Amino acid sequence: MDVLERVRGLCLELPEVTERLSHGEPTWFIRDKKTFVMYANQHHDDRLGVWMAALPGLQESLVADDPEHFYRPPYVGHRGWLGVYLDVDVDWGHFEDLVEGAYRQIAPKTLIARLDES
């Protein structure tokens, strides 16, 4: 499966998520308003990755422990967002957890409750 299709599938299965282009890249929004994951195909360098919301401290921890797979993305990294390289071997189980965590950081409580019910 294509990497973009895999990321798209993980994002779009979450409650009330939509996709549209933002800054020329596929981007996923909650209730068509708040961004929680952005695709980054050589957006700021020659790498393929995503930028996503993250729990406080998670970016620093993952980047320090595994810079081959994680990075501080431009523009949003100062807000704690996490960059995940997709042009390396990806642990898709961990990636899925990170996407869900990004969603939980941005989504309203009503949508988080719906996610918890399913």
Side-chain angles (χ1 to χ4, degrees):
M1 177 184 291
D2 175 78
V3 171
L4 174 57
E5 291 304 315
R6 195 156 192 181
V7 172
R8 178 177 281 133
L10 291 171
C11 291
L12 291 176
E13 70 184 18
L14 296 165
E16 296 190 39
V17 169
T18 56
E19 176 185 335
R20 69 176 183 273
L21 291 180
S22 178
H23 300 89
E25 301 282 4
T27 303
W28 293 274
F29 297 84
I30 298 170
R31 291 191 170 158
D32 212 28
K33 294 178 187 169
K34 295 189 174 193
T35 304
F36 77 105
V37 176
M38 301 171 60
Y39 197 69
N41 187 1
Q42 301 177 11
H43 185 79
H44 195 260
D45 55 18
D46 63 346
R47 303 289 306 266
L48 175 62
V50 295
W51 307 348
M52 63 176 68
L55 289 168
L58 184 63
Q59 176 211 95
E60 294 83 1
S61 173
L62 290 175
V63 170
D65 291 345
D66 191 0
E68 180 183 334
H69 291 94
F70 303 102
Y71 63 102
R72 183 177 191 233
Y75 314 116
V76 293
H78 70 280
R79 295 190 327 208
W81 278 50
L82 175 66
V84 182
Y85 289 122
L86 298 175
D87 56 4
V88 295
D89 224 9
V90 177
D91 176 344
W92 288 104
H94 187 220
F95 185 84
E96 185 174 352
D97 291 343
L98 292 172
V99 168
E100 184 177 317
Y103 181 87
R104 289 176 181 279
Q105 280 296 109
I106 304 299
K109 291 177 185 178
T110 55
L111 292 182
I112 293 171
R114 274 182 49 194
L115 182 63
D116 290 339
E117 288 173 0
S118 61

